[in-house]
């Protein structure tokens, strides 16, 4: 036992001496320029280490770099408080680096799209270089077993559109990371990995998303974020996003469901005045492709669905107004049905619209109970077609038909109508023109409908029978009663 203890003691001393020798012989700071040059050459960008570099042996061998910066196209693409690279010791003694792990502490990634439409991560194509003595292994991807990002931030800014989106509290854990190093290999298409992503908040001018948790993968320029969960407008969302960057034009698919979010929070993006409150569920299933926002709008396809029950429409009592033909003729149905547009299609469809601007005198106060709301749309080539769009109150049913040209931002043959029990229009109003300044026709009150509204000709209708009509709405929202 004494001999075993002596041997173990000698081995321990030798390991300590070996560690001291490595720390003395391998001066990482002396190699900073070589590290900077190697990384810059591999990425085709400017890489700098502004802080200190150190070699650590515990808890595992690693090279630690502080205050690192990656620049491209004249701007900071990425910065990090520290970068730790796990390495194998034996290759290090041969002045070779075999990476086992990469850890980024408090990194900030800034992705900018300039006025010229180019991104700041795009690099100038470089000629291939094959150093003497190197064969097919030259330019081989850098393989890393695992990597992580701790407390990171991502900022995306579109200078052409004037928009800015920021992710904060980013936590990323990945495995099987492969980073392209060949001079002509695009980073965005050559990167591959599997992992999980979490971030505390995504914020922009119009919305804030929190508590995002997702499985992520990348391969051949295709990025999958599915399944993912998030919190938005007080509701919980789940779904998936697939982004294909393998071709010249990006291809995006989005499918998710946001359940029981608050209508008043989402529509506050459109109007500061609260005009609808209560729980809603939205389910978009959309795809689009293109190099910019304009082309993506033109190629937008898919479906959107908005559903809700037990809602409250503020600022007017719809049933009270429609009970008198005089008030019905003053009513702006475009205002009453406006939230049907705002829900599934967002602020783009109603930006600049003055909600509640032309209500009749009886409609300036009170509220309405919305028993059921359905707003289903089909989108083809950037044009949204109303498929089943209506809501009901305790005494009335109101529906919307028409199209929204999202490319040219115009209302196309949009009509809002008050329905009878057969789905025929009793009162209707048309909306046309640009989203920012639409033309709203006068309310049209059909004579037989007016009789139904004010209750003057009910006896006559029973005697002569109900007149025939072509139903304006045949969707899923039933007539009250």
């Amino acid at each position: 036992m004494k001999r075993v203890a002596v041997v173990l003691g000698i081995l321990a001393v030798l390991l300590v001496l070996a560690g001291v020798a490595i720390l003395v012989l391998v001066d990482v700071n002396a190699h900073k320029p070589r590290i900077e040059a190697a990384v810059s050459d591999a990425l085709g960008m400017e890489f700098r280490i502004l802080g200190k570099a150190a070699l650590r042996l515990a808890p595992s061998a690693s090279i630690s770099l502080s205050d690192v910066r990656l620049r491209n196209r004249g701007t900071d693409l990425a910065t990090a408080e520290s970068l730790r690279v796990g390495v194998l010791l034996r290759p290090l003694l041969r002045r070779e680096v075999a990476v086992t792990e990469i850890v980024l502490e408090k990194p900030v990634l800034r992705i900018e799209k300039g006025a010229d439409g180019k991104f700041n991560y795009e690099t100038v194509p470089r000629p291939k270089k094959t150093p003497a003595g190197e064969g097919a292994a030259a330019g081989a991807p850098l393989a890393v077993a695992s990597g992580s990002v701790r407390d990171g931030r991502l900022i995306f800014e579109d200078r052409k559109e004037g928009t800015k989106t920021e992710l904060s509290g980013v936590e990323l854990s990945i495995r099987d990371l492969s980073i392209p190093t060949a001079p002509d290999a695009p980073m965005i298409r050559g990167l591959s990995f599997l992992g999980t992503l979490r971030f505390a908040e995504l914020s922009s001018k119009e919305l804030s998303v929190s508590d995002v948790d997702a499985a992520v993968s990348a391969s051949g320029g295709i990025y999958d974020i599915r399944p993912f969960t998030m919190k938005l407008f007080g509701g919980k969302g789940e779904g998936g996003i697939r982004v294909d960057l393998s071709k010249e034009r990006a291809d995006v698919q989005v499918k998710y469901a946001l359940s029981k979010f608050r209508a008043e929070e989402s529509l506050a993006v459109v109007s500061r005045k609260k005009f609808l409150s209560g729980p809603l569920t939205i389910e978009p299933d959309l795809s689009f492709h293109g190099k910019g926002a304009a082309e993506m709008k033109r190629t937008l396809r898919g479906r959107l669905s908005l559903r809700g029950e037990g809602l409250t429409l503020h600022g007017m009592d719809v049933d009270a107004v429609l009970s008198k033909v005089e008030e019905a003729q003053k009513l702006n149905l475009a205002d009453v049905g406006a939230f049907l547009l705002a829900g599934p299609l967002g602020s783009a469809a109603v930006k600049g619209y003055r909600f509640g601007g032309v209500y009749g005198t009886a409609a300036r106060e009170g509220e309405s109970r919305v028993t059921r709301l359905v707003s289903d749309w089909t989108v083809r080539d950037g044009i949204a077609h109303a498929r089943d769009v209506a809501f009901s109150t305790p005494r009335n049913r109101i529906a919307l038909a028409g199209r929204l040209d999202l490319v040219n931002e115009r209302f196309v043959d949009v009509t809002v109508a008050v329905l009878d029990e057969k789905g025929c229009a009793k009162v209707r109003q048309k909306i046309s023109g640009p989203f920012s300044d639409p033309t709203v026709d006068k309310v049209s009150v059909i004579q037989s409908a007016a009789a139904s509204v004010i209750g003057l000709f009910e006896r006559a209708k029973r005697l002569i029978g109900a007149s025939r009509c072509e139903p304006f709405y045949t969707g899923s929202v039933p007539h009250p009663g």
Side-chain angles (χ1 to χ4, degrees):
M1 290 299 296
K2 288 181 180 180
R3 290 176 182 177
V4 171
V6 170
V7 170
L8 290 177
I10 292 172
L11 289 176
V13 171
L14 289 175
L15 286 174
V16 171
L17 291 175
V20 172
I22 291 172
L23 291 175
V24 171
L25 295 174
V26 183
D27 185 0
V28 181
N29 277 284
H31 293 285
K32 277 173 53 174
R34 292 183 59 187
I35 297 173
E36 292 174 338
V39 176
S40 297
D41 186 62
L43 300 180
M45 305 177 190
E46 181 187 355
F47 178 73
R48 291 290 177 264
I49 305 168
L50 302 183
K52 292 183 178 181
L55 175 63
R56 304 177 188 276
L57 298 180
S60 60
S62 64
I63 297 173
S64 180
L65 310 174
S66 62
D67 195 3
V68 297
R69 296 179 182 272
L70 185 65
R71 291 178 60 82
N72 190 51
R73 295 173 61 88
T75 62
D76 279 341
L77 176 61
T79 62
E81 187 175 283
S82 69
L83 167 61
R84 181 165 59 84
V85 182
V87 294
L88 295 177
L89 279 178
R90 185 174 294 178
L92 198 63
L93 293 173
R94 299 194 301 266
R95 295 176 178 267
E96 297 175 0
V97 178
V99 179
T100 61
E101 181 186 30
I102 296 178
V103 179
L104 278 170
E105 297 279 356
K106 296 185 178 180
V108 178
L109 177 63
R110 299 178 183 272
I111 298 177
E112 294 183 4
K113 183 179 180 181
D116 58 359
K118 293 184 178 180
F119 290 93
N120 61 339
Y121 58 75
E122 296 180 22
T123 57
V124 178
R126 298 170 293 158
K128 295 182 180 179
K129 294 187 295 183
T130 304
E134 294 189 17
L142 173 63
V144 182
S146 64
S148 61
V149 172
R150 299 171 183 172
D151 194 16
R153 289 173 60 207
L154 187 150
I155 302 168
F156 175 74
E157 189 169 0
D158 190 330
R159 296 191 177 277
K160 188 175 182 180
E161 299 292 331
T163 59
K164 185 177 181 180
T165 303
E166 181 173 344
L167 277 72
S168 59
V170 178
E171 301 286 336
L172 175 65
S173 177
I174 58 177
R175 64 185 187 277
D176 301 330
L177 173 64
S178 178
I179 304 172
T181 60
D184 59 344
M187 170 70 72
I188 203 75
R189 296 177 186 176
L191 198 65
S192 66
F193 59 83
L194 295 170
T196 58
L197 170 68
R198 297 181 178 87
F199 59 84
E201 185 179 20
L202 180 152
S203 59
S204 67
K205 184 179 179 181
E206 295 187 342
L207 59 84
S208 176
V209 182
S210 62
D211 297 337
V212 174
D213 194 336
V216 296
S217 66
S219 179
I222 298 175
Y223 293 76
D224 264 310
I225 308 174
R226 68 178 74 194
F228 75 83
T229 59
M230 64 180 183
K231 291 182 180 179
L232 175 64
F233 301 134
K236 183 177 181 180
E238 55 183 329
I241 300 173
R242 184 178 188 269
V243 183
D244 187 349
L245 301 175
S246 63
K247 302 173 184 177
E248 185 180 357
R249 286 172 168 77
D251 188 280
V252 181
Q253 297 176 9
V254 179
K255 183 177 182 179
Y256 77 96
L258 180 61
S259 303
K260 296 183 178 180
F261 70 95
R262 301 301 301 180
E264 58 270 31
E265 293 186 26
S266 65
L267 296 179
V269 174
V270 182
S271 173
R272 293 181 180 179
K273 181 179 179 181
K274 184 172 74 171
F275 56 93
L276 183 70
S277 61
L280 291 170
T281 295
I282 186 171
E283 297 184 20
D285 185 356
L286 297 169
S287 66
F288 52 88
H289 62 267
K291 297 184 75 173
E295 187 175 3
M296 289 178 176
K297 278 186 181 181
R298 289 195 301 271
T299 59
L300 186 64
R301 299 178 67 86
R303 291 188 175 188
L304 301 112
S305 176
L306 179 73
R307 303 291 177 105
E309 294 183 357
L311 306 167
T312 301
L313 179 63
H314 301 275
M316 69 176 304
D317 186 339
V318 173
D319 291 340
V321 173
L322 292 177
S323 66
K324 299 179 181 179
V325 69
E326 295 86 358
E327 291 297 337
Q329 288 174 321
K330 297 177 184 177
L331 177 66
N332 187 353
L333 285 175
D335 277 340
V336 177
F339 64 85
L340 296 173
L341 304 173
L345 297 174
S347 60
V350 286
K351 64 181 180 182
Y353 193 84
R354 294 179 299 119
F355 291 93
V358 270
Y359 284 159
T361 53
R364 292 176 184 168
E365 56 185 22
E367 58 184 31
S368 305
R369 185 164 64 90
V370 177
T371 54
R372 187 175 182 187
L373 164 67
V374 172
S375 186
D376 292 347
W377 298 77
T378 299
V379 184
R380 295 192 297 271
D381 301 326
I383 298 178
H385 304 254
R387 187 160 48 95
D388 183 357
V389 184
F391 72 93
S392 60
T393 65
R395 293 168 56 188
N396 287 282
R397 185 170 50 152
I398 296 175
L400 181 148
R403 292 168 291 161
L404 298 172
D405 185 346
L406 302 179
V407 178
N408 300 301
E409 300 187 343
R410 297 184 66 86
F411 295 98
V412 181
D413 298 328
V414 174
T415 302
V416 183
V418 181
L419 311 173
D420 63 15
E421 62 276 4
K422 293 183 178 180
C424 300
K426 300 189 298 184
V427 182
R428 67 170 70 197
Q429 186 174 39
K430 290 186 176 182
I431 314 169
S432 59
F435 293 159
S436 58
D437 187 23
T439 299
V440 182
D441 294 347
K442 290 184 178 180
V443 171
S444 173
V445 181
I446 303 171
Q447 180 63 27
S448 60
S452 173
V453 172
I454 60 177
L456 296 177
F457 301 107
E458 291 299 329
R459 292 182 182 179
K461 286 180 66 178
R462 295 194 197 98
L463 292 174
I464 63 176
S467 59
R468 291 185 177 182
C469 71
E470 182 178 348
F472 178 87
Y473 174 77
T474 57
S476 60
V477 177
H479 196 74

